[in-house]
Amino acid sequence: SRFEDTRGVSCFKAPGRVNLIGEHTDYNDGLVLPFAINRHIYFIIRKRKDKTVLLHSLNFNEVREFKINKLLGRENKWSDYIQGILWEFKKRKLSISGFEAIIYGDIPIGAGLSSSAALEIVTCYGLSAVFNLHIPELELVKLCQQAENEFVGSKCGIMDQYVSFFAKKDKALFLDTRLLKHRFVDIALREVGMLVIDTGVKRSLASSEYNKRRRECEETVKLLRNYIDNLSSLRDLTPELLEKYRSKLTQLQRKRVKHVVEENIRVENMVAALEKQDMKMAGRLLFASHFSLKNLYEVSSPELDFLVELAQKEGILGARMTGAGFGGATIHLLFKRDIPEYCKVVKKEFFNRFARNPNIFKVRTSQGVCQII
Ligand code: GLA
């Protein structure tokens, strides 16, 4: 096979993430609290002397080949994320030769666990290292976000790329997306475990509805600027200001904004709860976030709601959808001793309702992108 001769081969990995709380806040200059999970995308690379780029995805069992100075253009597939990075290199006049790469990942795709951000980060980090591009850390993260915004065409915020790069083991990353400053919060939980349950529903609506939510937020900011001086984003809104100007907003705008304003507060409360190891409070905040995403931001799905309502019925600490929504996965917080029994119940109930099995797995935290070989 192509890499039998391993001379000159390097290997990198970047993690997926679970967002603990702070959903749909990052493109509103708000607060988020994700952590990286022990699921990764691997990028195994060797330079070539010519201009050919050869990409081989093991997950898709597919090869793409092109010249470094002649990209294929968007094809709505995995290689778009890599092309996006190369496109951003070109814009910045970062020049590289051809290369061969194998891409493999164990992050479920389309589950809201940021396999795409991990692919961007691992590609960019790997190429930067191999070709000595010296891209500063934050620039690298922004470059990846731009690749997704512009080449791939999804107007995501910066959270996923940021955490895939900067994450630390045993920590959640408390990020202020306005300042682009973060600090770490301990989540090395002794008695409490975290389960991710992937509903298996691919987020088909995700990018169109996502971009729509973004627009709704931007339009609301524009409107409120007529009344509030210096309002630059929804981050500047407090519950009091929202109350004061609510009559200026449509019903829909009120719902969207209320979610964003309260979600930012929940992130701060979650940080406080974790620092006090108040897991009951942490759990309550997860539930509150979920129902806000369901009722106010309207990005949940029947399967996600079913799992979270089941979590409530079963009396575990907390649960909510994680990621953009419209399918994907939930995160469940519960005592470790309850995990085996809880998994059984979830399997049975989910099957009774939807006639198929969800994908349940325990997650551990992980550090950000790194070189393995
Ligand atoms: C996706 C985006 C993130 C963020 C979340 C919602 O994961 O990539 O930037 O907006 O949705 O919180």
Side-chain angles (χ1 to χ4, degrees):
S1 80
R2 209 184 306 287
F3 282 87
E4 227 155 72
D5 178 0
T6 54
R7 274 173 296 176
V9 171
S10 310
C11 178
F12 302 84
K13 66 171 182 176
R17 64 102 187 87
V18 160
N19 187 18
L20 199 51
I21 201 161
E23 215 67 87
H24 290 278
T25 48
D26 67 345
Y27 52 84
N28 289 305
D29 278 350
L31 305 172
V32 292
L33 189 64
F35 61 91
I37 58 177
N38 55 333
R39 298 274 185 145
H40 297 85
I41 307 267
Y42 297 82
F43 187 72
I44 303 151
I45 175 178
R46 175 166 53 205
K47 286 194 220 180
R48 289 175 64 105
K49 297 215 163 63
D50 59 13
K51 298 214 173 299
T52 298
V53 176
L54 247 175
L55 307 171
H56 182 178
S57 160
L58 296 183
N59 297 75
F60 291 93
N61 192 21
E62 191 176 30
V63 174
R64 309 303 297 138
E65 181 177 342
F66 52 88
K67 298 281 180 245
I68 188 76
N69 46 7
K70 196 166 186 310
L71 302 182
L72 299 167
R74 188 162 74 200
E75 301 180 301
N76 296 319
K77 57 172 70 186
W78 58 274
S79 43
D80 290 357
Y81 298 99
I82 299 175
Q83 288 196 72
I85 299 299
L86 299 176
W87 173 252
E88 293 299 324
F89 281 0
K90 190 179 275 173
K91 283 205 309 205
R92 290 167 173 75
K93 306 212 159 39
L94 296 166
S95 109
I96 65 176
S97 71
F99 62 91
E100 307 177 344
I102 290 181
I103 299 99
Y104 170 74
D106 62 1
I107 309 171
I109 295 166
L113 301 174
S114 288
S115 56
S116 44
L119 176 53
E120 291 152 8
I121 289 288
V122 80
T123 301
C124 191
Y125 185 86
L127 292 173
S128 176
V130 167
F131 290 103
N132 292 313
L133 300 179
H134 303 290
I135 308 173
E137 295 185 328
L138 195 54
E139 283 313 306
L140 194 153
V141 170
K142 288 184 187 165
L143 187 155
C144 291
Q145 183 199 11
Q146 268 167 31
E148 179 143 356
N149 287 172
E150 286 162 37
F151 192 89
V152 181
S154 130
K155 303 291 171 199
C156 65
I158 202 163
M159 164 171 70
D160 305 340
Q161 291 81 5
Y162 197 101
V163 69
S164 185
F165 188 93
F166 284 109
K168 276 194 186 155
K169 202 166 177 341
D170 294 330
K171 312 280 178 187
L173 181 146
F174 178 28
L175 170 65
D176 183 323
T177 64
R178 160 123 79 191
L179 305 175
L180 290 179
K181 290 252 153 64
H182 65 273
R183 72 179 172 87
F184 291 100
V185 181
D186 221 327
I187 50 166
L189 313 166
R190 237 167 301 132
E191 295 175 338
V192 173
M194 287 179 294
L195 286 178
V196 166
I197 308 184
D198 177 8
T199 61
V201 180
K202 295 267 186 282
R203 308 173 303 128
S204 54
L205 273 177
S207 69
S208 63
E209 284 293 317
Y210 183 93
N211 292 348
K212 192 163 144 207
R213 292 296 176 287
R214 236 195 126 130
R215 240 178 5 253
E216 287 164 359
C217 291
E218 282 159 12
E219 280 161 12
T220 312
V221 170
K222 235 195 241 156
L223 180 86
L224 285 173
R225 256 192 218 133
N226 297 324
Y227 311 99
I228 309 172
D229 289 341
N230 304 324
L231 185 81
S232 73
S233 66
L234 291 184
R235 174 69 184 281
D236 295 323
L237 273 189
T238 57
E240 295 71 33
L241 278 174
L242 177 56
E243 190 50 43
K244 189 165 166 201
Y245 295 105
R246 59 177 282 122
S247 64
K248 312 290 182 202
L249 303 178
T250 65
Q251 178 80 27
L252 185 107
Q253 288 171 327
R254 274 179 221 154
K255 290 206 285 190
R256 302 293 190 256
V257 175
K258 188 168 156 59
H259 167 76
V260 174
V261 170
E262 293 177 351
E263 185 79 351
N264 278 325
I265 298 171
R266 278 190 288 270
V267 176
E268 290 186 311
N269 291 341
M270 179 64 90
V271 170
L274 291 170
E275 283 172 343
K276 283 187 294 202
Q277 303 224 19
D278 182 348
M279 299 320 285
K280 286 222 168 103
M281 176 54 81
R284 277 204 292 275
L285 290 163
L286 293 184
F287 282 131
S289 170
H290 183 82
F291 290 108
S292 178
L293 288 160
K294 173 183 186 225
N295 300 320
L296 301 178
Y297 218 69
E298 298 178 287
V299 293
S300 190
S301 78
E303 293 82 359
L304 294 166
D305 292 339
F306 180 83
L307 288 172
V308 174
E309 278 154 26
L310 185 61
Q312 270 186 320
K313 243 191 291 170
E314 291 296 313
I316 67 163
L317 289 164
R320 68 176 205 90
M321 55 158 271
T322 183
F326 310 104
T330 52
I331 168 142
H332 296 238
L333 195 68
L334 69 171
F335 288 106
K336 283 183 181 157
R337 58 167 191 270
D338 294 336
I339 288 182
E341 182 59 29
Y342 186 68
C343 288
K344 273 191 215 152
V345 173
V346 169
K347 263 197 199 142
K348 182 164 154 280
E349 298 286 322
F350 194 90
F351 192 87
N352 283 345
R353 174 74 174 73
F354 297 106
R356 53 191 178 75
N357 286 317
N359 180 13
I360 308 179
F361 47 98
K362 277 188 223 166
V363 282
R364 278 181 283 117
T365 60
S366 145
Q367 66 162 29
V369 66
C370 64
Q371 179 160 12
I372 313 171
I373 302 170

